[in-house]
Amino acid sequence: MKVGLLSFAHTHALSYAALLRDMDGIELLTTDPDSLAEEPRPEWPRGRELAHDLGVPYADSYEEVFAWGPDAVIVAAENTRHRRLVELAASHGVDVLCEKPLATTAEDAEAMIKACRAVGTRLAIAHPVRFSPAYEAARAAVKGGHLGTILAVRGANYGRLSDAERPWFADPALAGGGALMDHTVHIADLLDDLLGARATEVYAQSNTLLYPGHATETAGLVTIAYDNGTHVTIDCSWSQPAHHPQWGDVEIQLVGEKATVEFAAFSQNVSGYDEANRTATVHPWGTDLDERLLTTFLYGAEDGGIDVPDGESGLRTLQIVLAGYASAQEGQPAPVA
């Protein structure tokens, strides 16, 4: 199977490249032409230099990748560049896995879905947390009725501002926003799968107190009302300090009529102290969520297993984010389109 990786912009692109490079039966070709417009960062290379470091084949343009004849492509570009690449994949009749968020505007997301639907290609969204064993266990408990009706959900997707490695995450022209855009989507996607309900209204607040002077929000709190009566809060802040040994986490507490369940998606690790560098260190040992995501996208879900979310799911998640921005701007609840 031929797989093209379009752009190294997203941090997950490095993981995807390494995994696909080592997968049996996969032929990989990467490209990252938009990196030529970025200021070179020797400590965080992109483009042909990064492909060389990873030991993967490289093409100079997106068109060269499609001329190669891929069976599927992965879009790991900056958020506002997703539409162009997804529509390009659709024009070649190629299935596509697109990084989250699907887009930064509903117009772009709807156009991407329409383009893929028109030619019968698959549009999937890269949400690896769906493949966490912790989430699978919580999902089984909910679907099995062990919690009863879900009354409330408290979620947190912590992280830190990654402008040293990937400055575009804090550039509204490329990211479409800041922490609210970056970190609401993970938990909103899980709830899209878990609740079987639609979000109706969002109230959100955001600020730049954690990293003053930035053009985008660096902290946010989003409250969502669903049409089944469930209420959700999501802490989507870039609140991890730079010296924290782990980049971030996804944590959820589900409060039901019968029981409460909590899970953390990235808690399968061993922590300790790095004496040489005089700092704390964390080493993950558990399931590789990116690997499960890629395998499911390329070969399909296991019988009864979780599938990769589709474009319509990605649009519903984006609409929550967009309502959050509208609410934060107006200072009052905003309806979800």
Side-chain angles (χ1 to χ4, degrees), residues 189-213:
D189 171 72
L190 296 181
L191 298 177
D192 188 73
D193 174 60
L194 192 67
L195 297 179
R198 295 294 298 271
T200 59
E201 187 178 75
V202 175
Y203 178 71
Q205 291 195 5
S206 63
N207 59 55
T208 60
L209 295 177
L210 293 173
Y211 298 90

Side-chain angles (χ1 to χ4, degrees), residues 265-296:
F266 299 104
S267 60
Q268 290 181 312
N269 52 55
V270 176
S271 60
Y273 182 73
D274 185 341
E275 187 172 353
N277 296 307
R278 301 180 65 82
T279 183
T281 182
V282 173
H283 300 281
W285 56 265
T287 303
D288 189 323
L289 306 189
D290 285 349
E291 182 177 17
R292 293 193 66 191
L293 167 74
L294 292 177
T295 301
T296 302

Side-chain angles (χ1 to χ4, degrees), residues 24-108:
D24 291 336
I26 296 296
E27 188 177 350
L28 174 65
L29 183 60
T30 67
T31 189
D32 191 27
D34 293 319
S35 65
L36 297 175
E38 185 179 271
E39 179 183 349
R41 291 173 178 262
E43 69 277 23
W44 299 104
R46 282 184 59 178
R48 185 173 292 277
E49 182 182 356
L50 179 55
H52 178 269
D53 292 346
L54 293 170
V56 296
Y58 187 80
D60 290 323
S61 68
Y62 298 121
E63 291 74 16
E64 187 177 342
V65 172
F66 285 103
W68 173 66
D71 299 292
V73 295
I74 300 169
V75 171
E78 297 86 347
N79 297 341
T80 56
R81 291 172 173 159
H82 288 179
R83 176 178 175 176
R84 173 170 64 101
L85 296 180
V86 169
E87 290 182 332
L88 183 60
S91 71
H92 286 83
V94 176
D95 289 344
V96 56
L97 175 67
C98 183
E99 263 299 340
K100 69 289 185 189
L102 173 59
T104 59
T105 68
E107 178 185 3
D108 281 356

Side-chain angles (χ1 to χ4, degrees), residues 219-290:
L221 185 64
V222 178
T223 302
I224 311 165
Y226 285 80
D227 60 10
N228 66 346
T230 303
H231 285 77
V232 175
T233 62
I234 301 176
D235 181 344
C236 54
S237 303
W238 287 332
S239 55
Q240 296 282 43
H243 62 270
H244 195 276
Q246 185 166 315
W247 180 85
D249 205 346
V250 174
E251 302 174 355
I252 294 183
Q253 180 186 61
L254 303 165
V255 180
E257 288 181 317
K258 299 178 181 179
T260 296
V261 168
E262 299 181 2
F263 74 87
F266 299 104
S267 60
Q268 290 181 312
N269 52 55
V270 176
S271 60
Y273 182 73
D274 185 341
E275 187 172 353
N277 296 307
R278 301 180 65 82
T279 183
T281 182
V282 173
H283 300 281
W285 56 265
T287 303
D288 189 323
L289 306 189
D290 285 349

